[in-house]
């Protein structure tokens, strides 16, 4: 009895503690389930003035019967720039959520410091997208002038915290950096769907959810059946995914059309996974005739890899070829348009681990991951008449992305990050700056080509022209990062290179023909110099040199073994790398192209006379001439490129290929040292028999030719070279200051 009393009191206190914990937990759960109900809410609104650094929306879980209530208050504008001749502005604010939600404040006349205090309430199902705030100056006549803009990240703050902030506007006025600021407040609440009057779907949780982007390239048609009385056809291709439908242009009077047109479809969960493709013959004034159709199941296509699809008609030779690429956002790890905010350290660590050597066997087809952050464009010239509305097209392999258009801006800023899966480490990244036009075709301002092994950090690129030869218009500030697995990249090097469908076919150009002739001439002259040197040694024109060469030849031929050949080549590669490391750079000879007049302008009178007699026959001869010249041009380019690629391997122009070849030469040295050559030859031949025995329809390839196809020739190297900016232009964009600004932005 003496011991039972203390024990009983302890048990009693423990039960009371457990009951108190359960009561507190039930109260907390009750408060969680009563968010946003009518009456007095049981949660407190916290007033904040800065975005929390440790907030992560991925930790937020929204129940099926809950949604978000967004309360956005446009408070005032501060020191807005004067847009009217009276030194004032008539400002109003337009708020854009997603694609279809547009809200607008009232217009305050003649005021550069307007006070709106207008509140907008919106119920949404997902807040992973961006909201865009645009400040305009109202014009009674003509279109309104945009003063500035800013992007509001809906996922930047936790629920029940009202953020009140004054943010500087991005300038939309040419020549003005500071156009004023905007003060607004932003509150997110989680409420029951029964309390919401109208829930908008602007993200990825609603009934219409964006799964990815479908890129379809219609390449060509072969041997189409004649549909017209003259034995020709007017074909076009119609593509349909769900309710979205697109068509190619009609190519008249042809049975072998070449479209090479690129289309993009938004891959929605409501659009289905069946892509319908139909081939039609256009009839003017009548209904079009369908030639054939097919259905493609997108679920059977491997994501993020090009898939070439060829469909034909029954009992005929008609074929239509397509290239399809399914870009899933779940695979890309990005939101719509592959948009994210930053290249952060957490993502870098994940990618480094994903493509580390220890994880090589996990996903052999995924070679790497490219991150491109487009920051801004600078030094865009004013075209005098009309405004410049720039946008950028980003291309790698057969994947293409387009940035938003910045209206009337010579110094546009995007600060957008795009992510691309990499299937070949030897691919090239192309960035093109365009000016959007309403009535005519868009104008190319300039473009750059960046090989992936040069994608390493923040750089300012001077744009080139369309042919990547001369100087273009403007500059781009871009930050790039490439993550890749070396073993996967090495294995991919010995497989056929992906065909770039979006690339325009090379046409006959007399200047290119002259360039290729000069390239071949330069290579032949080098061989002639080497032949003359050997001839001088044999003819004893320098007796000491001839004697030493003779002795060395006898010794080498007497003692050489087959395994010494790759070893010697490996030493040559190492010596070339050592010479570069010591500063002994190898001089490059480049044959420049001089501008010449085309032959058809040199004797125009004689050409006109020949056209007047036998025009049809002359045209046929001209077509044959151009066909032959195109073949000669391609042959000269291939021959010159082969010798140049050997030079580039030795000079370490492509470090990855040279390193890979060095490793292969080392393996070949060991193999030839321990294994007789005859056994290696037998193994290679038996391996060929083995491959064709198990795969009779296998398309054979030469691994060494595939390796050489990754090495750039001299014209390709010329496109990769970047211009050096003048000292005066370097003051415009100081990369050091820009890096510090980016770091400070990340810290905030």
């Amino acid at each position: 009895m003496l011991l039972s009393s203390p024990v009983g009191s302890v048990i009693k206190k423990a039960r009371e503690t457990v009951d108190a914990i359960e009561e507190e937990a039930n109260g907390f759960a009750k408060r969680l389930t009563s968010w946003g109900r009518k009456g007095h809410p049981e949660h407190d609104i916290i007033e904040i003035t800065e975005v929390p650094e440790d907030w992560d929306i991925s930790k937020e879980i929204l129940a099926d019967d809950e949604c978000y209530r967004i309360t956005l208050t446009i408070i005032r504008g501060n020191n807005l720039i004067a847009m009217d001749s009276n030194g004032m502005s008539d400002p109003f604010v337009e708020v854009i959520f997603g694609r279809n939600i547009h809200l607008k404040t009232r217009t305050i006349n003649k005021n550069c410091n307007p006070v709106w205090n207008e509140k907008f309430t919106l119920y949404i199902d997902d807040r992973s997208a961006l909201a865009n705030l645009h400040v305009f100056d109202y014009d009674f006549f003509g279109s309104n002038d945009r003063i500035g803009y800013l992007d509001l990240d809906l996922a930047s703050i936790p629920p029940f915290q009202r953020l009140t902030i004054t943010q500087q506007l991005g300038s939309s006025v040419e020549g003005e950096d500071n156009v004023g600021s905007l003060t607004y407040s932003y509150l997110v609440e989680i409420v029951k769907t029964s309390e919401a009057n109208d829930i908008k779907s602007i993200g990825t949780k609603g009934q219409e959810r964006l799964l990815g982007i479908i890129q379809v390239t219609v390449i060509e048609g072969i041997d189409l059946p004649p549909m017209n009385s003259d034995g020709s056809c007017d074909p076009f291709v119609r593509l349909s995914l769900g309710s979205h439908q697109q068509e190619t242009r009609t190519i008249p009077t042809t049975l072998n059309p070449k479209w090479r047109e690129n289309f993009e479809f938004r891959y929605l969960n409501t659009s289905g996974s069946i892509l319908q493709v139909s081939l039609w013959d256009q009839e003017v004034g009548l209904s079009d005739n369908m030639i054939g159709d097919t259905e493609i199941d997108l679920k059977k296509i491997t994501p993020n890899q090009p898939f070439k699809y060829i469909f034909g008609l029954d009992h005929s030779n008609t074929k239509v070829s397509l290239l399809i690429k399914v870009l899933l956002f779940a695979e890309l790890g990005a939101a719509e348009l592959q948009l994210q905010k930053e290249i952060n350290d957490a993502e870098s660590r994940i990618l480094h681990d994903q493509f580390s050597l220890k994880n090589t066997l996990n996903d052999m087809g995924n070679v790497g991951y490219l991150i491109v952050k487009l920051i801004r464009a600078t030094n865009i010239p004013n075209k005098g008449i009309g405004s410049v509305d720039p946008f950028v097209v980003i291309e790698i392999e057969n994947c293409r992305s387009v940035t938003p258009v910045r209206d009337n801006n010579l110094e546009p800023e995007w600060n957008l990050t795009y992510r691309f899966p990499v299937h070949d480490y030897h691919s090239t990244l192309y960035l093109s700056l365009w000016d959007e036009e309403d009535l005519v075709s868009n104008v190319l301002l300039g473009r750059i080509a960046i090989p992936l092994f040069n994608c390493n950090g923040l750089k300012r690129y001077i744009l080139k022209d369309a042919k990547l030869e001369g100087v273009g218009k403007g500059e781009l500030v871009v930050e790039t990062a490439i993550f890749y697995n070396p073993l996967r990249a090495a294995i991919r090097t010995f497989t056929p290179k992906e065909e770039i469908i979006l690339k325009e076919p090379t046409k006959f150009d007399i200047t290119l023909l002259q360039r290729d002739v000069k390239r071949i001439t330069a290579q032949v002259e080098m061989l002639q110099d080497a032949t003359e040197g050997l001839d001088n040694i044999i003819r004893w024109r320098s007796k000491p040199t001839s004697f030493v060469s003779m002795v060395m030849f006898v010794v080498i031929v007497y003692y050489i073994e087959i395994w010494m050949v790759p070893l010697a080549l490996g030493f040559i590669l190492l010596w070339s790398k050592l010479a570069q490391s010591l500063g002994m750079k190898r001089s490059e000879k480049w044959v420049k192209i001089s501008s010449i007049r085309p032959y058809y302008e040199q004797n125009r009178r004689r050409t006109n006379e020949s056209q007047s007699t036998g025009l049809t026959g002359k045209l046929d001869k001209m077509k044959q001439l151009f066909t032959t010249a195109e073949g000669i041009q391609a042959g000269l380019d291939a021959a010159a490129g082969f010798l140049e690629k050997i030079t580039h391997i030795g000079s370490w122009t492509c470090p990855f290929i040279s390193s890979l070849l060095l490793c292969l030469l080392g393996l070949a040295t060991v193999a030839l040292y321990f294994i007789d050559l005859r056994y290696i030859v037998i193994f290679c031949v038996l391996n060929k028999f083995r491959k064709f025995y198990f795969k009779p329809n296998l398309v054979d390839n030469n691994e060494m030719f595939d390796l050489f196809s990754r090495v750039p020739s001299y014209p390709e190297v010329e496109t990769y070279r970047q211009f050096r900016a003048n000292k005066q232009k370097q003051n415009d964009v100081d990369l050091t200051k820009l890096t510090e600004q980016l770091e400070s932005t990340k810290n905030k």
Side-chain angles (χ1 to χ4, degrees), residues 621-652:
K621 290 183 178 180
M622 288 293 294
K623 289 181 180 179
Q624 295 177 2
L625 175 62
F626 272 88
T627 302
T628 305
E630 288 176 356
I632 295 174
Q633 176 181 311
L636 291 175
D637 180 72
F642 180 79
L643 297 176
E644 292 167 356
K645 289 178 180 182
I646 296 177
T647 305
H648 287 162
I649 291 177
S651 61
W652 291 78

Side-chain angles (χ1 to χ4, degrees), residues 366-618:
N366 193 7
V367 173
Y369 202 72
L370 175 66
I371 302 178
V372 181
K373 182 175 182 182
L374 179 63
I375 300 176
R376 68 176 64 167
T378 60
N379 296 328
I380 300 177
N382 195 348
K383 60 183 181 182
I385 301 176
S387 61
V388 178
D389 306 320
F391 67 95
V392 176
V393 178
I394 306 173
E395 298 174 273
I396 176 174
E397 296 175 344
N398 286 302
C399 188
R400 174 183 295 178
S401 293
V402 183
T403 68
V405 179
R406 298 304 189 199
D407 297 329
N408 192 18
N409 200 330
L410 296 180
E411 299 285 335
E413 290 190 8
W414 287 277
N415 289 316
L416 300 179
T417 302
Y418 296 85
R419 291 157 167 80
F420 302 93
V422 175
H423 302 287
D424 194 340
Y425 181 66
H426 312 284
S427 302
T428 303
L429 173 67
Y430 293 94
L431 301 175
S432 305
L433 181 63
W434 293 80
D435 176 25
E436 186 184 48
E437 298 290 346
D438 296 330
L439 302 179
V440 296
S441 301
N442 298 328
V443 179
L444 177 63
L445 300 178
R447 64 195 303 244
I448 53 173
I450 310 172
L452 293 189
F453 55 80
N454 283 342
C455 294
N456 51 3
L458 179 66
K459 293 182 181 179
R460 180 168 62 93
Y461 297 94
I462 299 177
L463 296 179
K464 296 185 176 182
D465 57 10
K467 295 183 178 180
L468 294 172
E469 296 176 354
V471 180
K473 301 177 181 178
E475 302 170 0
L476 286 178
V477 180
V478 183
E479 182 180 2
T480 55
I482 178 71
F483 304 88
Y484 73 101
N485 184 286
L487 290 181
R488 297 178 192 170
I491 295 173
R492 179 68 178 87
T493 305
F494 294 98
T495 58
K497 194 173 182 180
E498 179 180 344
E499 180 185 3
I500 307 300
I501 303 299
L502 300 178
K503 184 180 179 181
E504 291 293 332
T506 303
K507 298 181 180 179
F508 172 69
D509 190 341
I510 193 169
T511 58
L512 295 180
L513 182 62
Q514 184 189 29
R515 181 202 67 181
D516 294 336
V517 170
K518 290 185 177 181
R519 290 165 60 194
I520 287 291
T521 302
Q523 301 296 330
V524 170
E525 289 178 354
M526 293 176 59
L527 294 177
Q528 289 177 350
D529 293 339
T531 305
E532 290 178 2
L534 292 176
D535 185 68
N536 292 334
I537 293 175
I538 294 174
R539 295 178 182 275
W540 292 81
R541 292 177 179 171
S542 175
K543 293 184 179 180
T545 304
S546 299
F547 179 77
V548 173
S549 300
M550 182 184 64
V551 174
M552 290 181 61
F553 177 77
V554 173
V555 172
I556 291 175
V557 172
Y558 184 79
Y559 288 104
I560 193 172
E561 297 287 345
I562 189 65
W563 58 267
M564 297 180 182
V565 176
L567 180 63
L569 295 176
F571 275 121
I572 294 174
L573 277 177
L574 285 176
W575 169 251
S576 177
K577 183 63 177 178
L578 181 61
Q580 288 186 356
S581 302
L582 297 177
M584 298 181 293
K585 295 184 179 180
R586 186 173 180 177
S587 60
E588 296 183 356
K589 295 182 179 179
W590 174 247
V591 183
K592 295 185 178 180
I593 307 173
S594 59
S595 59
I596 62 174
R597 292 180 61 194
Y599 68 92
Y600 53 83
E601 290 185 0
Q602 296 177 1
N603 200 352
R604 183 174 298 176
R605 179 178 300 177
R606 182 177 300 175
T607 303
N608 293 335
E609 293 175 356
S610 63
Q611 288 179 351
S612 61
T613 59
L615 181 60
T616 304
K618 296 295 183 180

Side-chain angles (χ1 to χ4, degrees), residues 222-236:
I222 302 174
D223 294 336
L224 270 60
M227 303 296 291
N228 301 331
S229 58
D230 59 353
S232 63
C233 183
D234 306 321
F236 68 93

Side-chain angles (χ1 to χ4, degrees), residues 245-302:
Q245 180 175 294
Q246 299 189 66
E247 295 179 356
T248 66
R249 70 185 189 278
T250 301
I251 301 180
T253 61
T254 181
L255 299 180
N256 295 280
K258 296 183 182 298
W259 289 284
R260 295 186 180 272
E261 294 187 39
N262 188 41
F263 301 93
E264 284 192 354
F265 292 89
R266 300 176 72 242
Y267 191 16
L268 304 172
N269 61 332
T270 57
S271 61
S273 61
I274 302 300
L275 176 66
Q276 297 180 348
V277 184
S278 55
L279 178 63
W280 295 77
D281 172 58
Q282 187 183 50
E283 294 290 345
V284 180
L286 301 174
S287 59
D288 300 329
N289 299 322
M290 179 185 290
I291 303 176
D293 63 343
T294 185
E295 293 184 349
I296 304 173
D297 190 356
L298 299 177
K299 292 183 178 179
K300 296 181 180 180
I301 299 178
T302 304

Side-chain angles (χ1 to χ4, degrees), residues 327-356:
L327 301 177
L328 296 182
F329 293 148
E331 297 290 336
L332 291 174
E336 186 172 357
L337 291 177
Q338 305 119 34
L339 172 63
Q340 288 289 347
K341 293 193 298 180
E342 295 291 342
I343 305 176
N344 51 51
D345 296 335
E347 183 181 18
S348 299
R349 289 194 298 269
I350 294 174
L351 291 175
H352 274 300
D353 181 71
Q354 180 180 354
F355 296 104
S356 61

